[in-house]
């Protein structure tokens, strides 16, 4: 049985109840975060919590907890769910007023806070030589103009991901004005002639914590990476394509719209970078948090 945190208490997941008047339910008026837990240690928690605060600011929802309080809640939830490898989910909504009305509730109601932890399996990054790689499709990016906010309003992402799955692919790479933005739940990296490119930080993408770490590790190991616009057509001509996210690390994409990328298998740069990435993760997550 897993335990969750809801509005101030740790309880059995099966006992958690949220009002149908909750603005998260009625308007998708809320934000979320996902923090990976590796060896029982929260990975890059400070960065995730900073982004959570930024998302709350973006929606003008006052943060119900300070960063040290969030950190302690996260650690306690990890402890209560046995540690190991987890995906820690956090959601904050504008709360549950008596009346359904578009403007923010007045008087203000307390935000709803929900946190859960689900076990996850290690990504292929941990065993690069055995990795097979995944297919992706491209789709129009039909999302709103503030994709930098980690809002729970994810319907276009859900539909895009489902369309990818229905076509036997693992991810939909989204295209706006002929340019790659990101995946339905990942950031995108394109490798050509040994150079890594990734779309620049903007309101069109979520600035992934894994994306930032990849940039940091490239800098540290003097691997050429530039943040630049990537045209859709470049995808088909890439040597390698990677997608990144907190729970899946860095995943190699070996076909896009059924066209083979590189040799149609995970590339050499991905394999060597995957090792560096996992080494870093292990070095950070072997200490007790
Ligand atoms: N882009 C989108 C749209 C996402 O939903 C996610 C993760 O959920 C990411 C990128 C990757 O972000 P992170 O590396 O912080 O998990």
């Amino acid at each position: 049985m897993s335990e969750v945190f809801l509005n101030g208490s740790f309880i059995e997941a099966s006992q958690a109840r949220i009002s149908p008047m909750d603005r998260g339910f009625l308007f998708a008026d809320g934000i979320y975060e996902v923090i990976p837990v590796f060896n029982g240690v929260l990975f890059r928690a400070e960065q995730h919590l900073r982004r959570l605060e930024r998302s709350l600011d973006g929606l003008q929802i006052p943060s119900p907890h300070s960063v040290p309080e969030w950190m302690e809640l996260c650690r306690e939830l990890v402890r209560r769910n046995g540690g190991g490898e987890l995906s820690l989910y956090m959601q904050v909504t504008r709360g549950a007023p008596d009346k359904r009305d578009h403007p923010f509730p007045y008087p203000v109601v307390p935000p709803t806070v929900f946190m859960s932890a689900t076990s996850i399996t290690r990504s292929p990054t941990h065993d690069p030589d055995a990795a097979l790689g995944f297919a992706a499709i491209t789709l129009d990016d039909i999302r709103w103009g503030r994709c930098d906010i980690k809002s729970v309003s994810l319907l276009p992402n859900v539909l895009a991901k489902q369309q990818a799955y229905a076509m036997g692919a693992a991810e939909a790479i989204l295209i706006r004005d002929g340019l790659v933005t990101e995946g339905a739940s990942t950031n995108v990296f394109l490798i050509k002639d040994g150079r890594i490119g990734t779309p620049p930080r903007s309101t069109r993408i979520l600035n992934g914590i894994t994306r930032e770490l990849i940039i940091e590790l490239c800098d540290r190991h003097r691997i050429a990476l530039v943040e630049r616009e990537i045209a859709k057509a470049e995808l088909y001509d890439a040597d390698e394509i990677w997608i990144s996210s907190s729970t899946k690390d860095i995943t190699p994409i070996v076909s896009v719209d059924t066209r083979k990328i590189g040799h149609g298998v995970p590339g050499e740069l991905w394999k060597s970078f995957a090792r560096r990435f996992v080494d870093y993760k292990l070095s950070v997550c072997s200490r007790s948090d």
Side-chain angles (χ1 to χ4, degrees), residues 30-33 52 55-56 59 90-92 149-152:
I31 59 94
Y32 74 108
E33 257 309 319
L52 176 118
S55 297
L56 286 170
L59 267 56
M90 316 168 71
Q91 179 170 333
V92 183
I149 296 174
K150 205 163 164 66
S151 145
V152 293

Side-chain angles (χ1 to χ4, degrees), residues 20-49:
M21 295 308 290
D22 196 280
R23 289 178 64 99
F25 180 65
L26 295 176
F27 294 114
D29 187 358
I31 59 94
Y32 74 108
E33 257 309 319
V34 175
I35 310 183
V37 176
F38 186 64
N39 287 339
V41 180
L42 289 149
F43 185 54
R44 302 233 125 188
E46 294 82 3
Q47 288 86 342
H48 282 278
L49 293 177

Side-chain angles (χ1 to χ4, degrees), residues 14-286:
S14 59
Q15 300 305 309
R17 301 281 181 274
I18 293 175
S19 163
M21 295 308 290
D22 196 280
R23 289 178 64 99
F25 180 65
L26 295 176
F27 294 114
D29 187 358
I31 59 94
Y32 74 108
E33 257 309 319
V34 175
I35 310 183
V37 176
F38 186 64
N39 287 339
V41 180
L42 289 149
F43 185 54
R44 302 233 125 188
E46 294 82 3
Q47 288 86 342
H48 282 278
L49 293 177
R50 244 186 284 149
R51 188 172 65 184
L52 176 118
E53 296 279 318
R54 186 181 180 279
S55 297
L56 286 170
D57 266 6
L59 267 56
Q60 298 170 53
I61 299 176
S63 184
H65 297 289
S66 65
V67 168
E69 282 168 0
W70 282 123
M71 193 68 92
E72 194 37 48
L73 291 173
C74 290
R75 288 184 178 138
E76 183 57 23
L77 193 65
V78 170
R79 272 193 289 274
R80 286 171 183 254
N81 284 281
E85 255 91 306
L86 298 168
S87 166
L88 194 147
Y89 179 80
M90 316 168 71
Q91 179 170 333
V92 183
T93 76
R94 205 181 306 277
D98 293 339
K99 209 170 85 186
R100 181 191 178 277
D101 203 2
H102 285 66
F104 298 173
Y106 189 80
V108 170
V109 292
T112 301
V113 178
F114 173 68
M115 296 167 62
S116 65
T118 324
S119 55
I120 48 172
T121 48
R122 287 190 173 187
S123 75
T125 319
H126 289 264
D127 190 3
D129 288 327
L132 296 173
F134 293 89
I137 59 167
T138 57
L139 287 177
D140 281 346
D141 191 342
I142 58 166
R143 299 173 302 159
W144 72 327
R146 290 303 306 274
C147 299
D148 56 317
I149 296 174
K150 205 163 164 66
S151 145
V152 293
S153 177
L154 287 172
L155 194 52
N157 309 60
V158 167
L159 295 177
K161 188 74 95 178
Q162 183 55 34
Q163 195 167 334
Y165 276 36
M167 294 172 78
E171 182 58 301
I173 296 177
L174 304 176
I175 310 293
R176 197 186 286 254
D177 303 330
L179 301 173
V180 172
T181 54
E182 59 184 337
S185 63
T186 55
N187 291 114
V188 176
F189 295 79
L190 179 145
I191 291 83
K192 185 71 185 170
D193 299 329
R195 285 170 188 278
I196 306 175
T198 193
R201 200 176 159 171
S202 76
T203 50
R204 293 179 164 206
I205 67 165
L206 182 78
N207 186 24
I209 305 301
T210 321
R211 172 187 181 278
E212 291 270 275
L213 176 56
I214 292 169
I215 293 171
E216 205 178 295
L217 290 177
C218 280
D219 195 42
R220 186 178 305 175
H221 296 290
R222 299 188 194 291
I223 299 168
L225 181 147
V226 273
E227 292 178 70
R228 64 170 183 89
E229 299 294 0
I230 294 171
K232 177 183 173 184
E234 289 183 64
L235 288 172
Y236 306 123
D237 192 35
D239 297 331
E240 299 185 25
I241 293 174
W242 310 343
I243 55 173
S244 69
S245 77
S246 291
T247 51
K248 303 237 168 67
D249 298 329
I250 316 167
T251 304
I253 294 297
V254 295
S255 80
V256 174
D257 296 333
T258 71
R259 299 192 217 180
K260 202 158 55 165
I261 302 304
H263 301 293
V265 291
E268 289 309 313
L269 189 56
W270 177 76
K271 286 188 190 171
S272 62
F273 197 81
R275 288 191 189 93
R276 289 192 202 274
F277 186 88
V278 169
D279 283 351
Y280 175 80
K281 225 168 127 176
L282 282 170
S283 72
V284 174
C285 295
S286 53

